[in-house]
Amino acid sequence: MAKIGYARVSSKEQNLDRQLQALESVSKVFSDKVSGATTERPQLQAMLDYIREGDIVVVAELDRLGRNNKDLTDIMNIIQQKGATLEVLNLPSMSGIEDDNLRRLINNLVIELYKYQAESERKRIKERQAQGIALAKEKGKFKGRKLKFTENDPRLQLAFKLYIQGATEKDVERQTGINRRTFQRYRQKYDIHRK
């Protein structure tokens, strides 16, 4: 049995120190600097491959594993299928409960409640943000994000030309350096379609 830690921050500029300090007691730590919006995280996958039956996966906070209920449930199911358990340091400890099955049951119930609360909070934040933007637009104060490219930008024009000629979005990104999602937004904005 080993304690395996997992830490995550959303971007390369953010710092893992606080989480790593909380995970000092574990024997091995996996860490990612990538958004929790996806489960395609190299070190998360490596940690899930590494754990064995009887291991304990330790995270400082549940949202370090994932940002939505479905992803968290999927990750927790993988941990359970491998015969490991999950310990979340900022949730109440169940170590005083001697019956393993009862401790696991109560721990899972607490985690389910926490997942529900976290997802509800994210929805409320998005709703408040949308309301704030709507009010700012009404008052003429919301300009939105500054456009990265003007319509006449040579790179954007090259991207449109390549796309119209049959290049895939991946090819366009490789040749122009314009991210696929960004390119999709500009195609919609300027109504660019293949003939």
Side-chain angles (χ1 to χ4, degrees):
M1 179 192 93
K3 281 194 167 190
I4 313 299
Y6 178 74
R8 180 190 64 78
V9 289
S10 295
S11 69
K12 288 181 170 54
E13 294 78 39
Q14 292 177 316
N15 196 311
L16 286 162
D17 291 350
R18 181 183 60 81
Q19 291 176 65
L20 295 177
Q21 185 177 10
L23 297 171
E24 279 180 336
S25 66
V26 304
S27 56
K28 185 169 179 65
V29 176
F30 294 85
S31 61
D32 281 308
K33 288 193 170 190
V34 64
S35 171
T38 176
T39 56
E40 297 300 314
R41 292 175 256 147
Q43 290 298 297
L44 172 66
Q45 297 306 321
M47 183 270 295
L48 292 172
D49 289 341
Y50 181 84
I51 58 175
R52 301 289 178 257
E53 187 168 344
D55 286 349
I56 299 169
V57 175
V58 184
V59 291
E61 297 150 359
L62 190 60
D63 64 357
R64 300 301 85 203
L65 272 183
R67 284 187 8 203
N68 67 54
N69 199 336
K70 183 191 178 306
D71 288 347
L72 280 170
T73 302
D74 291 346
I75 293 166
M76 288 168 59
N77 285 341
I78 294 168
I79 292 169
Q80 284 183 334
Q81 286 165 7
K82 292 213 155 197
T85 55
L86 175 65
E87 182 180 323
V88 183
L89 297 179
N90 73 334
L91 294 181
S93 170
M94 304 296 157
S95 57
I97 301 170
E98 292 180 21
D99 184 316
D100 283 346
N101 288 332
L102 181 60
R103 185 174 56 246
R104 206 171 292 125
L105 173 68
I106 293 172
N107 189 49
N108 288 344
L109 287 171
V110 169
I111 288 172
E112 286 300 321
L113 288 168
Y114 187 86
K115 285 181 349 189
Y116 171 79
Q117 184 259 333
E119 185 137 326
S120 295
E121 178 60 22
R122 266 191 299 281
K123 285 178 184 172
R124 284 194 298 274
I125 288 169
K126 284 185 174 182
E127 286 169 7
R128 288 193 299 263
Q129 183 181 32
Q131 289 168 351
I133 289 170
L135 285 170
K137 281 181 177 178
E138 281 177 23
K139 295 177 181 177
K141 293 182 179 178
F142 183 79
K143 306 283 189 264
R145 191 185 303 175
K146 187 174 182 261
L147 291 176
K148 196 170 188 174
F149 301 102
T150 62
E151 188 175 4
N152 298 326
D153 185 286
R155 269 195 338 175
L156 187 60
Q157 288 302 314
L158 173 60
F160 288 156
K161 182 180 174 186
L162 290 169
Y163 180 75
I164 290 168
Q165 291 173 346
T168 65
E169 289 177 349
K170 194 172 187 176
D171 291 334
V172 170
E173 181 176 9
R174 203 175 9 247
Q175 292 183 47
T176 64
I178 299 174
N179 176 288
R180 277 182 258 185
R181 285 189 182 153
T182 302
F183 182 55
Q184 288 168 355
R185 282 198 303 273
Y186 279 94
R187 278 201 344 259
Q188 289 173 349
K189 179 177 175 61
Y190 297 117
D191 201 28
I192 304 296
H193 301 285
R194 288 191 171 125
K195 305 291 184 227

